[in-house]
Amino acid sequence: MSPPLLKLGAVLSTMAMISNWMSQTLPSLVGLNTTRLSTSDTLTQISPKEGWQVYSSAQDPDGRCICTVVAPEQNLCSRDAKSRQLRQLLEKVQNMSQSIEVLNLRTQRDFQYVLKMETQMKGLKAKFRQIEDDRKTLMTKHFQELKEKMDELLPLIPVLEQYKMDAKLITQFKEEIRNLSAVLTGIQEEIGAYDYEELHQRVLSLETRLRDCMKKLTCGKLMKITGPITVKTSGTRFGAWMTDPLASEKNNRVWYMDSYTNNKIVREYKSITDFVSGAESRTYNLPFKWAGTNHVVYNGSLYFNKYQSNIIIKYSFDAGRVLAQRSLEYAGFHNVYPYTWGGFSDIDLMADEIGLWAVYATNQNAGNIVISQLNQDTLEVMKSWSTGYPKRSAGESFMICGTLYVTNSHLTGAKVYYSYSTKTSTYEYTDIPFHNQYFHISMLDYNARDRALYAWNNGHQVLFNVTLFHIIKTEDDT
């Protein structure tokens, strides 16, 4: 077969297959398998009342399939069996038309291969003629060219294989659509099974219960101290740094007070990050020098011991002035009853979940530690507890949930070894070690918001994490 005939044969073969399918399959789709097809233009004994009939089947000059269908009379009910057949027919024809369109696109692509092969074959014919004219001198050269041309024809093989895959491809498409439909139906049913309003209410209820639970976990007994984390290295060997435990979550200001005497400059930083980088935001010049390193910031105000006195000062950062001052009756000062390391640490001011506290010693209590709860506004002593532990034998101490914890923080093997509960007015000896990394702690205070201990350790500002054993309050607890 010559190249033009090969091209025409491929097209006609494809169209004939489609025509044959239409003539044989279309009647079976509408339940008319017994109808005899004819290429003529007439069909005897046709009764439109009987239903849809295929009148003729033929090909037009372009090779396309042409069918003539006789419809039933218009007065038939749209819901009868023939109407259902029509709908089924339309659906099936539509589905098959999509498949045929896929085949048509592929045929057009393959037709381009055929045109290319036609050109190559014409070239081969010319080469054969040339070889016959001078096969002795040009045999080797033209043989190589012939081999290259034949190599170019190799793509014909996968093209033919692709034709055989068409039928399988359509079947796979239909199967994938069925699977996808089943998955989507399952998802729709699953989504419909949930009541999102109910879920939302359950989430809100859970959040409320969690908040209530956290409120009941505000206090606990100290079980473990971990760390430290070194935040910064600055200042002299002795000093204090702190944040406000009653500040909002967005307020993370840091205050810094270097040295234990002969100073009244407080430096403020907007955040821990600014504190580490040294980005100071404001400086406060207090009206009095402070004594020791045991100051505390509580609810926006600084509480400190006035130098060479037992007077406690309340200084407001926002107002920039002293709001209150009061003498702590009988409290020793100016290194009369300091902690072991000295440094005018006679009066230790601190805060916890319960409120504001002062820890000090008096002659009346034989130099042993006294714990007093203070009114944060007036600095008046609300209640006091006298312990039997000598203050000069203690290292730094701190309050958690109304319990005083005493340390030997001046030693390398530091630990919490004594505690006194203001709730029960009882004490016990403990053994909770912590790492004194830089060998000399001159300030150690608990922050209830951060659940951490702030410490000044030999010119290093560090943090310790604490682990508390919580006892959940019940409605019967007072």
Side-chain angles (χ1 to χ4, degrees):
M1 180 183 291
S2 63
L5 292 179
L6 176 62
K7 173 183 70 175
L8 180 58
V11 175
L12 292 179
S13 176
T14 301
M15 300 314 300
M17 291 170 58
I18 297 173
S19 175
N20 183 59
W21 175 86
M22 291 293 290
S23 63
Q24 295 182 14
T25 306
L26 185 59
S28 64
L29 293 177
V30 295
L32 301 173
N33 294 340
T34 59
T35 302
R36 299 180 60 85
L37 302 181
S38 172
T39 57
S40 65
D41 295 332
T42 61
L43 182 68
T44 59
Q45 297 180 351
I46 294 178
S47 177
K49 293 183 179 181
E50 297 177 358
W52 293 83
Q53 303 289 330
V54 176
Y55 182 68
S56 66
S57 177
Q59 293 180 351
D60 66 2
D62 294 330
R64 293 175 298 185
C65 179
I66 299 176
C67 296
T68 302
V69 179
V70 178
E73 292 182 356
Q74 299 297 322
N75 59 358
L76 294 179
C77 178
S78 61
R79 295 178 179 269
D80 63 7
K82 299 303 181 180
S83 297
R84 289 195 298 271
Q85 290 178 350
L86 172 58
R87 288 194 300 271
Q88 294 173 2
L89 173 62
L90 291 176
E91 292 174 358
K92 292 181 179 181
V93 169
Q94 183 180 11
N95 292 339
M96 291 306 301
S97 65
Q98 294 176 356
S99 302
I100 292 173
E101 181 64 25
V102 173
L103 292 175
N104 181 54
L105 293 175
R106 182 161 291 159
T107 300
Q108 292 298 323
R109 184 192 65 187
D110 298 340
F111 182 66
Q112 299 302 317
Y113 281 108
V114 174
L115 291 178
K116 182 177 180 181
M117 286 186 290
E118 181 180 13
T119 303
Q120 292 174 345
M121 288 181 180
K122 288 181 180 179
L124 288 175
K125 186 176 181 181
K127 291 297 181 182
F128 277 121
R129 290 176 181 173
Q130 187 174 358
I131 290 172
E132 288 178 351
D133 294 339
D134 192 5
R135 52 187 169 181
K136 290 183 180 180
T137 57
L138 299 177
M139 179 64 72
T140 303
K141 177 181 178 182
H142 288 300
F143 178 80
Q144 183 64 30
E145 292 179 357
L146 178 63
K147 183 177 182 300
E148 293 174 356
K149 292 295 182 181
M150 293 301 294
D151 289 340
E152 293 180 4
L153 295 178
L154 290 178
L156 178 61
I157 295 176
V159 170
L160 297 176
E161 291 295 328
Q162 196 67 50
Y163 271 113
K164 291 189 289 185
M165 293 296 295
D166 284 342
K168 294 182 179 180
L169 177 63
I170 295 173
T171 302
Q172 291 174 359
F173 282 165
K174 291 171 65 177
E175 184 65 25
E176 290 176 7
I177 290 173
R178 280 195 295 267
N179 294 339
L180 179 59
S181 177
V183 171
L184 292 176
T185 301
I187 292 175
Q188 185 178 14
E189 293 175 354
E190 188 173 338
I191 291 176
Y194 293 106
D195 186 340
Y196 284 97
E197 182 62 29
E198 180 184 352
L199 287 178
H200 181 64
Q201 293 301 323
R202 289 171 62 185
V203 170
L204 293 179
S205 175
L206 179 60
E207 289 180 350
T208 301
R209 289 164 59 192
L210 287 175
R211 291 194 197 99
D212 292 341
C213 183
M214 288 303 296
K215 291 178 181 178
K216 294 179 180 180
L217 293 179
T218 53
C219 271
K221 182 178 180 180
L222 180 65
M223 301 299 293
K224 185 178 181 181
I225 300 175
T226 57
I229 300 171
T230 301
V231 177
K232 189 176 182 180
T233 302
S234 63
T236 63
R237 292 184 64 193
F238 316 103
W241 72 294
M242 64 214 80
T243 60
D244 189 344
L246 294 186
S248 65
E249 292 183 1
K250 296 182 179 180
N251 183 353
N252 295 301
R253 290 186 295 176
V254 178
W255 290 275
Y256 179 87
M257 301 169 70
D258 192 13
S259 183
Y260 62 85
T261 186
N262 200 31
N263 197 350
K264 57 181 182 177
I265 302 298
V266 180
R267 305 185 187 280
E268 181 182 285
Y269 304 84
K270 290 184 178 180
S271 65
I272 288 286
T273 301
D274 286 352
F275 173 62
V276 172
S277 65
E280 183 180 306
S281 63
R282 189 173 176 182
T283 299
Y284 301 90
N285 191 356
L286 302 178
F288 311 107
K289 295 180 181 178
W290 63 73
T293 58
N294 305 119
H295 333 294
V296 65
V297 174
Y298 189 71
N299 199 23
S301 293
L302 171 68
Y303 297 83
F304 67 96
N305 177 207
K306 183 180 178 182
Y307 180 59
Q308 290 186 334
S309 74
N310 60 5
I311 297 174
I312 300 172
I313 304 292
K314 177 184 179 181
Y315 177 86
S316 171
F317 288 121
D318 292 335
R321 61 185 179 86
V322 173
L323 297 183
Q325 55 181 316
R326 182 180 293 271
S327 174
L328 194 59
E329 190 175 15
Y330 304 122
F333 62 92
H334 203 58
N335 270 345
V336 174
Y337 295 119
Y339 288 130
T340 302
W341 67 275
F344 303 141
S345 56
D346 301 75
I347 299 175
D348 191 350
L349 300 171
M350 54 187 73
D352 66 356
E353 293 86 350
I354 296 176
L356 185 67
W357 304 86
V359 174
Y360 55 99
T362 65
N363 289 332
Q364 288 75 6
N365 196 36
N368 293 325
I369 292 176
V370 175
I371 306 170
S372 291
Q373 187 174 6
L374 306 180
N375 182 298
Q376 63 171 308
D377 296 321
T378 64
L379 303 180
E380 181 182 0
V381 173
M382 300 167 60
K383 187 176 181 180
S384 293
W385 293 260
S386 297
T387 75
Y389 197 89
K391 189 170 186 299
R392 294 182 67 93
S393 298
E396 288 291 323
S397 63
F398 53 89
M399 296 286 293
I400 298 180
C401 296
T403 296
L404 178 69
Y405 294 92
V406 179
T407 75
N408 57 353
S409 55
H410 56 291
L411 302 177
T412 302
K415 65 180 180 179
V416 177
Y417 62 90
Y418 176 88
S419 67
Y420 186 95
S421 170
T422 59
K423 184 177 182 180
T424 61
S425 298
T426 59
Y427 71 91
E428 65 176 323
Y429 289 95
T430 62
D431 187 5
I432 304 174
F434 61 96
H435 185 36
N436 185 2
Q437 185 171 359
Y438 304 107
F439 313 115
H440 194 291
I441 294 177
S442 59
M443 168 256 176
L444 187 64
D445 273 337
Y446 172 69
N447 186 293
R449 185 185 73 164
D450 300 337
R451 295 285 176 86
L453 295 173
Y454 283 65
W456 189 294
N457 193 340
N458 207 3
H460 301 80
Q461 292 74 53
V462 301
L463 289 173
F464 293 92
N465 289 319
V466 299
T467 301
L468 304 181
F469 175 77
H470 295 284
I471 300 176
I472 300 178
K473 294 185 297 185
T474 66
E475 300 298 332
D476 297 332
D477 291 339
T478 58

